Amino acid sequence: QFAVKQILRDILQENSEKKYRHPLFVARSIQLLVELNRIADRYIREQTPEKGSPLVRKLIRYINENLSDTDLSLDKLSAHFFTSKYYLSHLFKEQMGLPINQYITTKRIHCAADLIKSGMRATDASAKMGYVYYSTFFYNYKKIMGCPPTNQRPEHATTLPLNDSFL
């Protein structure tokens, strides 16, 4: 944070002294962006589950390995890990920043989008990701991705904003 303040001071000083030179301004701006990126990277690393509870890490691993399970619910997870669903839900949300069901839905939709982009039909991808009803899949897909699943075929493929902390 000190480096960011110093870079901003340098930019303001150069600007106030009318020493504004385009290459110097660009260089200082790049320095600022690099330093902000380092701070953001440090923050993201601090927020990852690796620093959290071993239970949350096991929970994430289990969810990721069982996304196709149609009955992947909080009740099933709490039974599998022999813990209260209330405690599990609280711990997960505290460390991950979102509820378990939202994590499962988001992860399923992003995995389904990858399958669709690779050429799989949307109905097959929804079934593979544990959705019993295509209408539920369609609603969640459109809500999370901002477009219907049919727009994610290879000819319509775009980059997906998948948060690596969900892995």
Side-chain angles (χ1 to χ4, degrees):
Q1 291 177 351
F2 175 75
V4 171
K5 288 180 183 177
Q6 186 58 44
I7 294 169
L8 285 172
R9 280 189 198 118
D10 291 346
I11 290 172
L12 290 173
Q13 183 179 2
E14 290 165 4
N15 192 28
S16 68
E17 294 175 2
K18 308 222 184 228
K19 292 183 181 177
Y20 176 80
R21 296 183 198 137
H22 183 69
L24 184 58
F25 181 76
V26 170
R28 294 278 192 217
S29 299
I30 291 171
Q31 270 184 313
L32 179 63
L33 291 174
V34 167
E35 194 58 38
L36 288 172
N37 189 36
R38 285 184 186 143
I39 291 169
D41 187 51
R42 239 179 288 135
Y43 174 79
I44 289 169
R45 272 188 268 125
E46 289 171 2
Q47 300 301 314
T48 59
E50 275 62 37
K51 294 203 179 237
S53 157
L55 178 58
V56 172
R57 288 194 304 265
K58 288 177 187 175
L59 183 60
I60 290 171
R61 191 174 317 117
Y62 181 83
I63 291 170
N64 290 342
E65 291 170 357
N66 294 282
L67 284 173
S68 62
D69 185 354
T70 57
D71 187 34
L72 189 58
S73 64
L74 184 56
D75 288 328
K76 184 173 183 175
L77 293 170
S78 65
H80 180 80
F81 289 99
F82 304 105
T83 187
S84 158
K85 66 181 181 180
Y86 304 106
Y87 174 72
L88 200 60
S89 180
H90 173 76
L91 185 64
F92 189 90
K93 185 168 183 174
E94 181 181 280
Q95 291 187 16
M96 294 299 293
L98 71 162
I100 292 174
N101 63 336
Q102 186 178 351
Y103 174 81
I104 293 169
T105 301
T106 302
K107 187 71 174 179
R108 280 180 168 166
I109 294 300
H110 282 285
C111 290
D114 289 340
L115 293 172
I116 293 167
K117 283 170 61 176
S118 70
M120 186 180 282
R121 291 180 355 173
T123 53
D124 296 335
S126 72
K128 187 170 176 94
M129 287 296 105
Y131 282 93
V132 176
Y133 301 106
Y134 181 75
S135 59
T136 305
F137 169 76
F138 187 90
Y139 173 81
N140 287 334
Y141 193 100
K142 193 169 180 183
K143 181 179 168 188
I144 291 170
M145 304 306 291
C147 65
T150 51
N151 287 3
Q152 287 297 319
R153 292 247 169 98
E155 63 270 13
H156 297 103
T158 58
T159 306
L160 298 176
L162 182 60
N163 186 343
D164 290 340
S165 69
F166 285 162
L167 299 177

